[in-house]
């Protein structure tokens, strides 16, 4: 069953599934089919983000999406709202500038672990320190996916990548702990398998005044296998079978190592701090 059929700019007839009925006015059908690999979690995130935007209580025209380089960079282009696709690692300062120029905007950055935490890592920690009033969704697939499978700041120690063929020897970032320590007002981690929890977390993110961070675990279809971490299906099974929800977990215990024996999810931090323009 489909809700709408439309011939896209590529001449392909696309039909949205019935489950998209409530958000069909936010999806740019003319841009479909999307460019992501079959099975990629970004399609799930796109649907949940659109639904959260629709139900946020904030007018659609006040929402702005900012993306950098990487597979996540296409999300803004599939939504019918103002969106900017900027240079690698610079989505956060661009978003901060938008918010400073027009504080009424609800500005959300969507980026990968490499874009946000490596090339844009300096911007991330200082925006959190200032408590800039923006939202940051980090899609963590543990690798640079689009650019060739290089290790990223979240690649587990021991994983093999194109730039660490004998095994990665660096410790990965613990994103929730990093965000909290730097000063974020809201910190959560979910996976694309936990759709309801992730959707509720995105809704909560829009309510937060201050720097809000939602980490989204999503397997890379191509490089999970090449990293000797099993294939993407194996990683999906791991996320399903080994994830536990503990909102009160010690943030220092949220590391994700190569064994992936323990993956803790939850809404970990919600606190009030003065935002940057109020100081």
């Amino acid at each position: 069953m489909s809700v709408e059929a439309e011939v896209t700019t590529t001449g392909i007839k696309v039909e949205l599934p019935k489950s998209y009925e409530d958000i069909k006015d936010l999806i740019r059908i003319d841009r479909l089919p999307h460019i992501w690999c079959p099975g990629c979690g970004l399609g799930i995130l796109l649907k949940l983000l659109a639904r959260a935007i629709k139900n946020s209580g904030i007018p659609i025209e006040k929402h702005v999406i900012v993306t950098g380089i990487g597979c996540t960079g296409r999300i803004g282009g599939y939504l019918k709202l103002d969106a900017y696709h900027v240079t690698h690692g610079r989505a956060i300062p661009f978003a901060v500038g938008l918010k400073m120029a027009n504080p009424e905007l609800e500005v959300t950055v969507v980026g990968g672990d490499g874009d946000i935490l490596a090339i844009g890592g300096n911007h991330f920690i200082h925006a959190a320190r200032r408590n800039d009033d923006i939202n940051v969704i980090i899609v963590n697939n543990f690798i640079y996916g689009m650019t060739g499978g290089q290790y990223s700041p979240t690649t587990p120690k021991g994983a093999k990548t194109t730039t660490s063929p004998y095994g990665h020897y660096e410790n990965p970032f613990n994103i929730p702990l990093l965000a909290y320590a730097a000063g974020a007002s809201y910190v959560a981690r979910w996976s694309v398998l936990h759709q309801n929890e992730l959707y509720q977390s995105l809704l909560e993110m829009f309510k937060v005044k201050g720097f809000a961070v939602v980490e989204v675990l999503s397997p890379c279809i191509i490089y999970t296998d090449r990293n000797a971490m099993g294939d993407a299906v194996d990683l999906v099974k791991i996320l399903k079978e080994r994830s536990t929800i503990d909102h009160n977990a010690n943030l220092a215990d949220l590391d994700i190592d190569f064994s992936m024996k323990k993956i803790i999810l939850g809404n970990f931090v919600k606190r009030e701090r003065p935002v940057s323009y109020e100081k």
Side-chain angles (χ1 to χ4, degrees):
M1 297 265 314
S2 62
V3 297
E4 191 167 348
E6 185 172 317
V7 178
T8 69
T9 54
T10 59
I12 300 174
K13 184 179 180 181
V14 172
E15 298 179 351
L16 285 178
K18 187 70 175 178
S19 59
Y20 283 74
E21 171 70 32
D22 61 321
I23 54 172
K24 64 180 183 181
D25 56 336
L26 266 179
I27 303 295
R28 295 195 63 172
I29 300 174
D30 60 312
R31 294 286 183 89
L32 300 178
H34 60 69
I35 65 168
W36 299 315
C37 301
C40 177
L42 287 174
I44 295 173
L45 177 61
L46 173 67
K47 179 180 68 176
L48 298 178
L49 179 59
R51 186 162 291 145
I53 288 172
K54 187 81 177 283
N55 297 319
S56 66
I58 301 168
I60 300 297
E61 62 270 20
K62 292 188 181 299
H63 279 277
V64 182
I65 300 294
V66 183
T67 59
I69 302 301
C71 301
T72 57
R74 297 302 304 167
I75 279 189
Y78 296 133
L79 292 169
K80 287 182 181 176
L81 45 69
D82 288 334
Y84 297 88
H85 187 202
V86 302
T87 52
H88 216 339
R90 310 304 175 220
I92 287 179
F94 192 94
V96 171
L98 284 174
K99 186 69 178 181
M100 290 178 67
N102 187 349
E104 293 187 357
L105 296 177
E106 184 69 26
V107 185
T108 300
V109 170
V110 186
D113 42 288
D115 187 46
I116 299 294
L117 298 175
I119 300 169
N122 204 30
H123 301 304
F124 178 82
I125 59 174
H126 290 292
R129 176 179 61 84
R130 295 188 299 263
N131 202 28
D132 288 322
D133 188 17
I134 64 172
N135 313 306
V136 179
I137 300 171
I138 304 173
V139 181
N140 183 6
N141 63 3
F142 310 105
I143 198 73
Y144 278 94
M146 192 187 75
T147 54
Q150 302 89 351
Y151 66 76
S152 82
T154 61
T155 299
K157 191 175 184 177
K160 295 180 180 179
T161 73
T162 54
T163 48
S164 59
Y166 303 107
H168 188 42
Y169 63 86
E170 299 176 4
N171 292 313
F173 271 142
N174 172 336
I175 294 178
L177 178 60
L178 174 66
Y180 171 76
S185 288
Y186 180 73
V187 181
R189 171 198 281 165
W190 296 103
S191 84
V192 291
L193 295 184
H194 297 76
Q195 294 190 35
N196 184 57
E197 293 89 346
L198 175 55
Y199 167 68
Q200 294 297 332
S201 184
L202 295 175
L203 281 176
E204 192 64 31
M205 173 189 77
F206 289 133
K207 299 176 183 176
V208 171
K209 187 176 183 180
F211 196 73
V213 178
V214 177
E215 177 186 6
V216 181
L217 304 180
S218 178
C220 177
I221 300 300
I222 302 297
Y223 290 104
T224 299
D225 182 25
R226 297 188 188 181
N227 290 355
M229 296 167 64
D231 59 25
V233 174
D234 292 330
L235 190 49
V236 168
K237 289 180 179 176
I238 288 173
L239 291 175
K240 179 180 179 181
E241 297 171 356
R242 302 182 187 174
S243 293
T244 60
I245 298 173
D246 184 358
H247 302 299
N248 300 310
N250 184 336
L251 297 180
D253 294 334
L254 300 186
D255 291 311
I256 299 176
D257 63 24
F258 190 53
S259 71
M260 296 198 176
K261 292 181 178 178
K262 180 180 67 175
I263 301 172
I264 301 176
L265 311 175
N267 301 314
F268 305 118
V269 177
K270 187 177 181 181
R271 57 183 172 178
E272 295 184 5
R273 293 181 57 225
V275 300
S276 54
Y277 54 80
E278 290 181 339
K279 297 174 182 175

